[in-house]
């Protein structure tokens, strides 16, 4: 049982490049989410999904796309990277839709130059 | 608007001293509340959670928290801090009215001195 895995651990992009951050969980959780963490800002929700085929926006969705074709995977796509997207990104899955415990991945540190 | 406030950005305590980290929330419905800890360069680990029932909840690593509805607070406490407790602590809140999303506070950074 690997829990929540994220790849890559580190990434450097140039402005305007696109990339996909991968997230997978092996706990059969319906709910998955993406957060970004910036100094002094805590964690802010980007997108979330309550099941395969269902996604919704969080607090800071602009510049990011998600899809959920399977229960296990929830990739986050940066369409055209900007320096403002330099951040640490965490994927999480939850055991239950409301009030369940959130399991976090180890994070991806992204730098956009 | 729903919000979560951690009033203290940084807290410094001596090893062996007691600790209290504050968390206040503004939610209309009965919330469910969490405390997470993040060590440098690591992901987040759940310390404890409150959904209902006993308002004093026990967590891992000797932490506890008390839900006080009248004060809209969920403060985290530990009677005797260890040097390994130095980390960033996040309070998170959700409720049935906000759908399924959790709202995180901005965090409190704990420094433990010898």
């Amino acid at each position: 049982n690997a829990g929540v895995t994220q790849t890559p651990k580190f990434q450097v992009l140039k402005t305007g490049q696109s990339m996909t951050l991968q997230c997978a969980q092996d706990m059969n959780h319906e709910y998955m989410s993406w957060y970004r963490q910036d100094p002094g800002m805590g964690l802010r929700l980007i997108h979330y999904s309550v099941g395969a085929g269902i996604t919704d926006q969080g607090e800071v969705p602009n510049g990011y796309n998600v899809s959920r074709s399977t229960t296990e995977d929830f990739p986050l796509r940066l369409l055209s990277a900007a320096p403002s997207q330099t951040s640490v990104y965490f994927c999480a899955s939850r055991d239950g839709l409301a009030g369940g415990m959130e399991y976090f991945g180890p994070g991806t540190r992204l730098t956009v130059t | 608007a729903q919000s979560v406030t951690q009033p203290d950005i940084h807290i410094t305590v001596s090893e062996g001293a007691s600790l209290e980290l504050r968390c206040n929330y503004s939610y209309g419905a009965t919330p469910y509340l969490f405390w997470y800890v993040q060590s440098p360069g690591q992901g987040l680990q759940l310390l404890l959670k409150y959904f209902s029932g006993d308002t004093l909840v026990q967590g891992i690593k000797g932490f506890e928290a008390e839900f006080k509805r009248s004060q809209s607070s969920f403060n985290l406490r530990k009677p005797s801090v260890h040097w390994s407790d130095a980390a960033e602590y996040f309070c998170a809140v959700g409720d049935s009215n906000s759908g399924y999303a959790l709202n995180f506070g901005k965090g409190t950074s704990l420094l433990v001195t010898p």
Side-chain angles (χ1 to χ4, degrees):
Chain A
N1 190 329
V4 180
T5 58
Q6 292 182 238
T7 56
K9 283 190 168 53
F10 302 94
Q11 183 71 48
V12 179
L13 290 178
K14 294 188 188 305
T15 297
Q17 288 184 315
S18 62
M19 79 158 295
T20 300
L21 306 185
Q22 301 292 344
C23 174
Q25 52 94 6
D26 60 0
M27 297 173 282
N28 201 34
H29 290 165
E30 292 296 326
Y31 183 95
M32 295 185 72
S33 54
W34 276 101
Y35 296 89
R36 59 177 290 172
Q37 184 178 28
D38 303 292
M41 299 296 292
L43 276 79
R44 292 182 291 171
L45 183 65
I46 304 171
H47 285 284
Y48 65 96
S49 168
V50 298
I54 306 170
T55 63
D56 206 347
Q57 296 180 351
E59 180 186 356
V60 288
N62 292 341
Y64 307 95
N65 270 359
V66 292
S67 60
R68 186 94 179 270
S69 56
T70 68
T71 298
E72 294 78 19
D73 300 299
F74 191 43
L76 178 72
R77 296 183 186 84
L78 280 70
L79 309 172
S80 177
S84 61
Q85 294 178 304
T86 294
S87 188
V88 180
Y89 291 86
F90 288 99
C91 178
S93 71
R94 184 186 299 170
D95 59 352
L97 289 178
M101 177 176 159
E102 206 107 343
Y103 293 80
F104 284 85
T108 295
R109 184 173 294 274
L110 175 69
T111 302
V112 183
T113 62
Chain B
Q2 297 162 335
S3 65
V4 183
T5 303
Q6 293 181 245
D8 305 303
I9 299 174
H10 301 283
I11 281 188
T12 300
V13 299
S14 300
E15 190 168 15
S18 64
L19 170 70
E20 182 170 25
L21 302 182
R22 296 183 291 164
C23 175
N24 296 99
Y25 63 89
S26 173
Y27 272 72
T30 299
Y32 40 87
L33 303 130
F34 304 82
W35 274 100
Y36 284 87
V37 61
Q38 184 181 33
S39 297
Q42 303 296 313
L44 279 78
Q45 181 183 23
L46 180 70
L47 286 175
L48 46 79
K49 58 185 179 182
Y50 171 80
F51 293 161
S52 63
D54 193 346
T55 56
L56 183 63
V57 294
Q58 302 297 322
I60 63 171
K61 304 185 180 187
F63 286 92
E64 66 177 28
E66 187 170 11
F67 170 56
K68 293 185 177 180
R69 185 188 304 275
S70 61
Q71 299 177 18
S72 297
S73 69
F74 188 57
N75 293 349
L76 182 72
R77 300 193 295 249
K78 187 170 185 178
S80 178
V81 170
H82 188 263
W83 63 266
S84 60
D85 293 324
E88 188 92 14
Y89 291 80
F90 294 94
C91 179
V93 184
D95 72 2
S96 56
N97 288 345
S98 65
Y100 307 114
L102 278 187
N103 194 357
F104 281 80
K106 295 186 178 180
T108 296
S109 179
L110 175 64
L111 177 65
V112 180
T113 59

